[in-house]
Amino acid sequence: MLFFFADYILVYEKKRENVSEQLTSTSDEFETEKSRIIHEPKDKREIWKQSFLMNLANIGLLMETEICEAERCMIHFIKLSVPWHLVVKYAQDLNFRAPIQVVNNNENLDTMTDKLFRFIHIKNPMKSDASTIHPDLYSCLFQSSKQDKFLGNDRFSVHFTNTQRSLIVHEILQTTPFGYSERGEIGIDRLLREHVFQAAYPLHEGNYKFTPTKIHTPQDENNPRRVLYDTWVRYRIWYKNQPLDCIREYFGEKISIYFAWLGLYTTWLLPASIVAIMFLEHWKRKNAEIAYQWDLMDFEEEEDHPRPEFTVRAPSVEKNPITGILEPYFPTSHRRYRVLAGVLSLSVMICIVIIFIIAIIVYRTIINIPLFKNKDLRKYALSYASISGAFLNLIVIMILGKVYEILAYKLTQWEMHRTQTDFDNHLTIKVFLFQFINFYSSIFYVAFFKGKFTGYPGNYRRLFGLRQEECGQGGCLIELAQQLAIIMIGKQAINNIQEIVKPKLKTMYHKLRISITKGETRWEEDYRHLEFSGLFEEYLEMVLQFGFITIFVAAFPLAPLFALLNNWIEIRLDAHKLVCETRYQYYLVFFYE
């Protein structure tokens, strides 16, 4: 069999049958299978699957199927490859950038630490090892009519990365119909949601570390996944700079910009943990520098395709006034009422947060009474009540946060936003607003309201028959520091434990479900991994942390130090999750002229 380079993998499972099955099939056998299944009665999912695969073949994608025998089912891996003429067509349509010249401007990109260590004639110990093997290429928008102007390789006249080829297949998969387009029967996302296919993913580029029994080749040494593992993931290199160019080339701009922001933020926490500096203006300059270096000065984040769920659930179809194409339609007036319902739901959840805050205030007041009556515990009464109340508050905060994230996602789905951008924006507003109130309301109460409205002797103000809380003799600053320490450090500890334990449990369950104990091929090994869940939770965690170390840093000066320690761990945890534990994912940006 000739070598078949796979740009993308589709996976579907079939229950075992009592007939012998062939474990591999070629593209010729797939064509035979196509002609056979047309005349056989199939259920809706089978019809959609076969129609989708035939349409992909008609577009020109090359296919090859391999079958893995698992305990409970037969797992079919369909390897997709994009031929050169489609690469050229889609590279121009998607405004891909291609290299036209190798440049050496590393000196112009030196950081402040590079210049400082060079001035004192010492090698910079923080410089990433990946910078010595990553070539600096000048690129521009690809044009098929000027192919001879671009740099190529030994296989093709223009060098397109494996990632770019996978993105072309992804675009084809997203826009290929398998039924009636006006009913939303289009794209791989709908098929995955309907469980027609179990997975669709590009392949990681090799293993992230060497196996003892394998004979290694030069390609293994330059494997970008292994380079990232050696120069980014490992905890022993925690003091080195992140290889942002390698991260960008392998995972895309969205993920690399997140790690660029997190890295700079963590770096500035080092002096901030000592003298409480902040860093926003410096991030603006760093962001502009990265955008210029990576040719991201002008880009659109996503095309405004209708969301797959929107196309399925929309009640009617109307002509798009711009494109003139029939598209699923949901009346704007109806959406406004649903958005209003979402606002009311947010208000109800905020009221629940306030109710729990009042309940914790009452708890602290009640528990103070027996402690004050005990002569041995009287001097510790306020501290015991405050600390135990803070722990209860942390538990309530984490539970309400998880409940509302699920509720907010369901509400945003129900609001029927047409594009993914609109969906993400409304979800972000809901979650960030609620989490801000959820995490900070009890701290704001201690900082600005506790002890301010207690009344005076003979006319004390009461809550549920109990006198309102008062601050200690030294004021509420100590209690505020306790609240901040417990909530901030406790939240970080819980999140880090979840990031370690939760993916491992999910991976174990996924491996047991698919019954593949060890992947013998790259596609089988990647199928054993989980999909990457995105950056929403990561950004949310950092935004909340940023609030702790800026708004209340005067009450808890050690907040930047604990944030610094957390972020050093967070970078390696996220890096390990992307490189070692999840399927390969590249986040695309579309350029425009």
Side-chain angles (χ1 to χ4, degrees), residues 25 33 57 59 69 116 132 158 176 196 226 230-231 244 291 304 330 395 425 470 495 538 555:
S25 63
E33 178 72 6
I59 290 173
E69 187 174 6
L116 175 62
T132 59
V158 181
T176 299
V196 176
R226 184 175 183 275
D230 287 339
T231 62
L244 293 177
D304 281 339
F330 187 80
I395 294 171
N425 289 340
E470 295 183 7
N495 285 342
E538 314 299 336

Side-chain angles (χ1 to χ4, degrees), residues 304-307 309-316 318 320 327-344 410-427 430:
D304 281 339
H305 296 308
R307 295 178 62 243
E309 284 189 46
F310 177 82
T311 61
V312 174
R313 300 169 62 186
S316 61
E318 289 193 6
N320 188 311
E327 287 186 356
Y329 175 76
F330 187 80
T332 305
S333 57
H334 293 184
R335 183 180 296 113
R336 290 196 188 103
Y337 289 117
R338 295 193 177 193
V339 172
L340 178 60
V343 173
L344 294 176
K410 296 294 184 182
L411 284 172
T412 312
Q413 281 184 319
W414 182 63
E415 289 170 5
M416 291 292 290
H417 297 287
R418 176 180 173 273
T419 64
Q420 189 64 41
T421 301
D422 290 340
F423 180 90
D424 292 340
N425 289 340
H426 282 79
L427 178 62
K430 288 186 183 71

Side-chain angles (χ1 to χ4, degrees), residues 115-127:
K115 296 175 182 178
L116 175 62
F117 281 102
R118 189 165 60 247
F119 177 76
I120 59 178
H121 302 287
I122 297 177
K123 183 180 178 181
N124 185 358
M126 295 182 290
K127 191 175 183 66

Side-chain angles (χ1 to χ4, degrees), residues 92-137:
Q92 181 163 312
D93 292 344
L94 297 177
N95 288 330
F96 279 176
R97 305 188 75 90
I100 60 174
Q101 187 179 356
V102 179
V103 294
N104 184 15
N105 59 349
N106 291 330
E107 293 185 0
N108 298 330
L109 300 176
D110 283 350
T111 63
M112 186 181 300
T113 54
D114 291 331
K115 296 175 182 178
L116 175 62
F117 281 102
R118 189 165 60 247
F119 177 76
I120 59 178
H121 302 287
I122 297 177
K123 183 180 178 181
N124 185 358
M126 295 182 290
K127 191 175 183 66
S128 173
D129 296 332
S131 59
T132 59
I133 58 177
H134 187 273
D136 192 9
L137 302 175

Side-chain angles (χ1 to χ4, degrees), residues 164-210:
Q164 289 174 316
R165 295 174 60 89
S166 297
L167 289 172
I168 290 173
V169 181
H170 178 76
E171 178 68 13
I172 294 173
L173 294 177
Q174 292 282 15
T175 55
T176 299
F178 51 85
Y180 296 100
S181 298
E182 60 271 15
R183 297 180 185 173
E185 295 173 355
I186 182 173
I188 188 63
D189 288 342
R190 172 79 185 277
L191 294 173
L192 290 172
R193 192 170 56 254
E194 298 285 350
H195 303 291
V196 176
F197 292 96
Q198 273 61 54
Y201 53 91
L203 294 175
H204 274 294
E205 295 194 28
N207 293 319
Y208 62 87
K209 56 183 178 181
F210 286 145

Side-chain angles (χ1 to χ4, degrees), residues 390-402:
F391 275 109
L392 283 175
N393 190 31
L394 173 63
I395 294 171
V396 170
I397 284 172
M398 299 303 292
I399 293 174
L400 288 180
K402 291 299 180 184

Side-chain angles (χ1 to χ4, degrees), residues 169-365:
V169 181
H170 178 76
E171 178 68 13
I172 294 173
L173 294 177
Q174 292 282 15
T175 55
T176 299
F178 51 85
Y180 296 100
S181 298
E182 60 271 15
R183 297 180 185 173
E185 295 173 355
I186 182 173
I188 188 63
D189 288 342
R190 172 79 185 277
L191 294 173
L192 290 172
R193 192 170 56 254
E194 298 285 350
H195 303 291
V196 176
F197 292 96
Q198 273 61 54
Y201 53 91
L203 294 175
H204 274 294
E205 295 194 28
N207 293 319
Y208 62 87
K209 56 183 178 181
F210 286 145
T211 54
T213 58
K214 183 180 177 182
I215 300 176
H216 307 300
T217 64
Q219 287 76 16
D220 294 326
E221 292 287 348
N222 294 324
N223 171 4
R225 190 184 183 194
R226 184 175 183 275
V227 169
L228 286 174
Y229 180 78
D230 287 339
T231 62
W232 185 43
V233 174
R234 292 186 173 182
Y235 285 91
R236 64 178 175 80
I237 55 170
W238 59 269
Y239 59 91
K240 288 185 177 290
N241 296 330
Q242 299 183 88
L244 293 177
D245 287 321
C246 294
I247 299 171
R248 177 246 180 165
E249 185 173 304
Y250 196 64
F251 290 111
E253 286 81 6
K254 284 187 180 179
I255 288 179
S256 55
I257 287 177
Y258 162 73
F259 281 103
W261 183 89
L262 181 57
L264 182 66
Y265 170 45
T266 304
T267 301
W268 276 81
L269 282 175
L270 187 58
S273 63
I274 303 172
V275 295
I277 300 172
M278 283 301 110
F279 78 116
L280 287 175
E281 292 301 320
H282 193 76
W283 166 244
K284 292 178 183 177
R285 294 194 294 269
K286 181 68 174 179
N287 186 44
E289 176 187 325
I290 290 173
Y292 176 77
Q293 179 184 344
W294 291 347
D295 299 319
L296 296 176
M297 298 303 292
D298 296 309
F299 73 87
E300 291 179 349
E301 195 167 286
E302 290 184 32
E303 289 185 321
D304 281 339
H305 296 308
R307 295 178 62 243
E309 284 189 46
F310 177 82
T311 61
V312 174
R313 300 169 62 186
S316 61
V317 177
E318 289 193 6
K319 184 178 292 187
N320 188 311
I322 298 175
T323 63
I325 300 174
L326 286 175
E327 287 186 356
Y329 175 76
F330 187 80
T332 305
S333 57
H334 293 184
R335 183 180 296 113
R336 290 196 188 103
Y337 289 117
R338 295 193 177 193
V339 172
L340 178 60
V343 173
L344 294 176
S345 301
L346 174 61
S347 303
V348 170
M349 289 297 298
I350 290 173
C351 291
I352 293 175
V353 171
I354 296 173
I355 290 171
F356 273 107
I357 291 174
I358 296 173
I360 291 172
I361 294 172
V362 173
Y363 161 81
R364 286 199 296 254
T365 305

